[in-house]
């Protein structure tokens, strides 16, 4: 009996996972395809669009600004209107659970000569927005929000943005963040003068790749940590082009970890994005002695795409995930923590303080779930350690993922090795990977819906 009205996934100890599969379109690239599609002058056809709730929030926000976005399964048609064609929305733009929607729209709307309100669900309403408001205010936008009790000068959603008349700035980001960087790029394209952005580390660079492809005046130095947006002499037009979104490596990560820890597994994921700013998960799993082959087979709009095969090669060994490797696998740390939980030795996840301000406080939520499963963990402000069970099965039981899709999926993967059944509240999984259970089952996992 499920006393809670939330649907549950039930996972049991599973036999070897085997097969070839694809995962839904990359969430980060899908946001950008929809948004930059709206900024083109003409029709943009998107194939392989992400199917999750976050991407639906971006599509709905664009519609509220007067853009026609038609979605049918994984195909979308966006009638681009350019920056100048956007119209003030009649009500607050609901960004749902999606930090990317809120922060990218902050940059977009900071440059528009009208007032907009951005709101979100309870999780998004706790996430820091001062980091994006501060530089946009320096560019001339007026942005107000709720006072953030946790951070001096911080603000929280809902945000009210009075945009227009921006000027370019030189800005060093306080944290490496693709959402923040992308917001400043979108504002910079609408500003007078140049905008120079420097990141302390290289975060995912999908914005730079896609905007350059569409003809935006943006350049990055090799290595990408410094970006220049120079709209002087630009006619303001992005040229429409069809977009093929590769599969989401961040979704694939859960299947890769599952295959690396369930004995006898051999899983191949095809058509998945292999952008080097995102492939930290593959390097981290290799450092843990997983047997992984990745092969680039194509390129789509400057994004490498390919196939990844993982075979369970016996026991994993502990690793240290820190610095640039942690940044390149930031969304995959919950999945990697599960690999560490089965490994031999003590793994360390360092320089991952940003996890505290994701959809949940992921350091707190993943360490709590690992502890519940009988795994020894230690938590610090900027990271955590996991002492692997060296193959001893974890405990099953009822998972409390704090309504965070990645914590739910990570806990589900751990459940594939538990002796008792594992129950995971499942409706938040649809934020990024609505077909998670179906694909896991097609590979042979013992997964059912309750
Ligand atoms: C994202 C950037 C990252 C990442 C998030 C998606 C993006 O966040 O964690 O899931 O699409 O730009 P930050 O910009 O906060 O690092």
């Amino acid at each position: 009996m499920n006393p809670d009205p939330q649907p549950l996934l039930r996972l049991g100890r599973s036999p070897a996972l085997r097969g070839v599969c694809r995962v839904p379109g990359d969430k980060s690239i899908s946001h950008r395809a929809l948004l930059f599609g709206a900024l083109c002058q003409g029709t943009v056809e998107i194939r392989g669009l992400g199917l999750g709730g976050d991407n639906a929030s971006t599509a709905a926000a664009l519609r509220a600004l007067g853009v026609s976005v038609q979605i049918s399964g994984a195909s979308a048609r966006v009638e681009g209107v350019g920056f100048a064609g956007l119209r003030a929305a009649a009500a607050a733009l609901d960004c749902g659970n999606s930090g990317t929607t809120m922060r990218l729209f902050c940059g977009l709307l900071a440059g528009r000569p009208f007032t907009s309100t951005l709101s979100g669900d309870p999780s998004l309403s706790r996430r820091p927005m001062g980091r994006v408001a501060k530089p946009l205010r320096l560019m001339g936008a007026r942005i107000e929000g709720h006072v953030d009790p946790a951070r001096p000068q911080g603000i929280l959603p809902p945000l009210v943005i009075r945009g227009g008349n921006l000027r370019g700035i030189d800005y060093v980001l306080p944290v490496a963040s693709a959402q923040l960087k992308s917001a400043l790029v979108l504002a910079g394209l609408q500003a007078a003068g140049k905008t120079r952005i420097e990141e302390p580390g290289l975060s995912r660079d999908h914005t730079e790749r896609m905007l350059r492809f569409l003809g935006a005046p943006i350049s990055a130095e090799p290595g990408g940590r410094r970006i220049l947006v120079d709209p002087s002499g630009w006619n303001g037009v992005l040229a429409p082009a069809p977009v093929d979104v590769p599969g989401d490596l961040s979704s694939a990560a859960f299947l890769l970890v599952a295959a690396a820890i369930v004995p006898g597994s051999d899983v191949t994921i095809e058509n998945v994005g292999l952008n080097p700013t995102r492939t930290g998960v593959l390097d981290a799993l290799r450092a843990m002695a997983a047997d992984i082959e990745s092969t680039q087979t194509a390129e789509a709009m400057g994004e490498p795409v390919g196939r990844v095969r993982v075979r369970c090669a016996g026991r994993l060994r502990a690793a240290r995930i820190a610095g640039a490797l942690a940044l390149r696998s930031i969304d995959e740390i919950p999945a990697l923590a599960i690999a560490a939980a089965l490994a031999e030795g003590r793994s360390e996840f360092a320089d991952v303080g940003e996890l505290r301000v994701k959809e949940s406080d992921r350091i707190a939520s993943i360490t709590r779930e690992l502890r519940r499963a009988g795994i020894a963990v230690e938590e610090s402000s900027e990271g955590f350690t996991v002492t692997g069970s060296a193959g001893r099965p974890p405990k099953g039981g009822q998972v409390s993922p704090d309504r965070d899709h990645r914590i739910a999926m990570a806990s589900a993967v751990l459940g594939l090795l538990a002796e008792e059944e594992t129950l995971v509240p499942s409706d938040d999984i649809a934020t990024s990977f609505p077909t998670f259970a179906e694909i896991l089952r097609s590979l042979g996992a013992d997964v059912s819906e309750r």
Side-chain angles (χ1 to χ4, degrees), residues 27-28 32 100 103 176-179 204 330-331 354 358:
K27 178 159 83 71
S28 288
R32 289 156 173 84
T100 307
R103 296 199 177 109
S177 159
Q179 294 175 355
R204 64 192 64 192
I330 193 72
D331 287 348
E354 274 293 296
K358 295 292 180 189

Side-chain angles (χ1 to χ4, degrees), residues 105 115 132 173 260:
F105 276 73
T115 300
V132 63
L173 306 188

Side-chain angles (χ1 to χ4, degrees), residues 14 94 253 269:
S14 292
D94 181 1
I269 302 172

Side-chain angles (χ1 to χ4, degrees), residues 74-230:
S75 298
R77 166 186 270 249
V78 182
E79 303 295 346
V81 296
F83 285 102
L86 298 173
R87 297 285 165 258
L93 301 171
D94 181 1
C95 303
N97 193 244
S98 176
T100 307
T101 307
M102 185 164 286
R103 296 199 177 109
L104 266 59
F105 276 73
C106 278
L108 174 69
L109 296 169
R112 294 296 83 217
F114 50 74
T115 300
S116 308
T117 303
L118 296 171
S119 63
D121 74 1
S123 150
L124 184 53
S125 301
R126 287 191 294 269
R127 297 181 67 185
M129 295 297 151
R131 56 175 62 185
V132 63
K134 185 175 171 196
L136 293 174
R137 283 172 178 156
L138 291 174
M139 294 176 85
R142 283 176 295 156
I143 303 186
E144 282 150 41
H146 277 300
V147 173
D148 182 348
R151 292 165 199 89
Q153 287 142 30
I155 56 170
L156 299 171
L159 303 179
V160 178
I161 302 174
R162 293 181 180 82
N165 290 322
L166 300 184
R167 54 191 173 269
I169 51 167
D170 287 5
Y171 197 72
V172 180
L173 306 188
V175 284
S177 159
Q179 294 175 355
L180 181 43
K181 169 173 71 174
S182 303
L184 298 191
V185 167
L186 286 166
L189 287 174
Q190 304 174 78
K194 295 177 184 169
T195 295
R196 291 187 193 81
I197 305 160
E198 186 176 332
E199 279 196 289
L202 176 59
S203 65
R204 64 192 64 192
D205 63 354
H206 305 304
T207 291
E208 297 90 302
R209 288 177 192 243
M210 197 183 292
L211 280 178
R212 249 198 322 262
F213 192 89
L214 298 172
I218 158 171
S219 53
E221 68 166 24
R225 288 203 303 109
R226 289 198 191 85
I227 294 171
L228 172 67
V229 181
D230 183 5

Side-chain angles (χ1 to χ4, degrees), residues 10-21 255 258 262-263 265-267 416 436-448:
R10 188 207 58 83
L11 301 109
R13 194 167 169 80
S14 292
L17 306 179
R18 290 179 165 265
V20 180
C21 65
L255 309 175
V262 176
S265 296
D266 184 353
V267 169
L416 301 177
F436 170 72
E438 194 185 304
I439 294 178
L440 210 47
R441 197 161 36 234
S442 76
L443 296 171
D446 177 10
V447 189
S448 56

